[in-house]
Amino acid sequence: MPGSRRELALRKGSFEVFHEGTLHKRGQTNSSYRRRWFILSGNEMFYFQGSEDGARGSIKLTFVSQCRRLPRQSDGLFPFEVNSAGQDGRVFQLASDNERVRDTWIERIHSAILLDTTKVVSSILIPYLESDGIQCEGVFRIPGDVNVIERIRGALIAPRRLSQPIPTDADSASVASFLKQMLRDLPEPVLTFRLYKEFITAGWFCGH
């Protein structure tokens, strides 16, 4: 794959390529599948054709409400669809030659969506806690109310309505519990696996 593709995806997406490889993509007007090279970077999937330098298009995961498997087709492909309702209401139909490859793509897409959602939601929750929860003793220790936590989830995430404010009846302990829950569910912890030993070493030096 030409380096320019990766550079374009990194420049537009993030500083990391989460996943890349060949998939079949069904067109909007032409119902047949066309082979494309996909790069998942940040919250966006870029797709390329042949040796072109520029991306043919992209799927913005911020707008994705569903990514699910579809039944195997008679041509032997393993399809799945990415429902990007907020991106012109489009449903992207993709497929792989291999079931394991298809399932890996779905897993990586779900992880990227979760990471993107966590970033956006954290930007709402953390300022709230800094403003309203700073005087609450043990705000990260006291468990929140389960019903309130679910209302916070419904207001901020389902179905990915990220711009709505925190419910007015929410308390600081419930907001903190929801934030901890989201961080626990990340595919990779905030203190990343790659740097885990370095964090432990730094903590040891700070303690001495």
Side-chain angles (χ1 to χ4, degrees), residues 1-166:
M1 182 194 70
S4 55
R5 291 183 186 173
R6 178 182 287 265
E7 291 166 6
L8 173 66
L10 289 175
R11 189 165 59 249
K12 289 189 174 182
S14 71
F15 294 105
E16 182 180 2
V17 169
F18 293 154
H19 198 55
E20 60 183 307
T22 299
L23 288 172
H24 302 271
K25 176 183 169 294
R26 176 168 282 170
Q28 282 185 289
T29 54
N30 188 342
S31 61
S32 62
Y33 279 105
R34 301 290 180 89
R35 187 180 293 270
R36 298 287 184 261
W37 184 270
F38 278 80
I39 295 179
L40 172 57
S41 177
N43 65 348
E44 201 162 358
M45 285 179 68
F46 302 91
Y47 50 91
F48 304 81
Q49 177 183 2
S51 58
E52 293 179 356
D53 293 338
R56 299 275 295 183
S58 68
I59 304 173
K60 293 177 172 56
L61 300 183
T62 299
F63 299 117
V64 169
S65 59
Q66 187 180 49
C67 176
R68 66 187 184 96
R69 298 171 180 83
L70 297 175
R72 187 179 183 182
Q73 298 189 330
S74 58
D75 55 10
L77 293 176
F78 293 87
F80 65 102
E81 68 178 20
V82 180
N83 190 336
S84 186
Q87 186 177 347
D88 302 325
R90 186 172 178 185
V91 177
F92 292 86
Q93 294 193 355
L94 310 173
S96 172
D97 297 315
N98 181 285
E99 184 177 16
R100 180 181 58 81
V101 172
R102 187 267 311 269
D103 291 348
T104 298
W105 268 106
I106 293 175
E107 177 186 335
R108 298 295 172 84
I109 291 170
H110 283 156
S111 295
I113 291 173
L114 177 59
L115 181 59
D116 179 56
T117 302
T118 302
K119 288 178 181 178
V120 176
V121 171
S122 296
S123 70
I124 298 173
L125 300 182
I126 292 175
Y128 174 90
L129 291 172
E130 290 176 339
S131 172
D132 294 20
I134 197 70
Q135 302 299 328
C136 179
E137 183 177 353
V139 64
F140 285 101
R141 174 174 50 83
I142 300 172
D145 183 282
V146 174
N147 293 325
V148 175
I149 292 172
E150 285 308 307
R151 284 202 295 275
I152 295 172
R153 183 189 304 278
L156 291 175
I157 296 181
R160 293 177 63 75
R161 297 189 297 267
L162 299 176
S163 61
Q164 291 194 14
I166 296 172

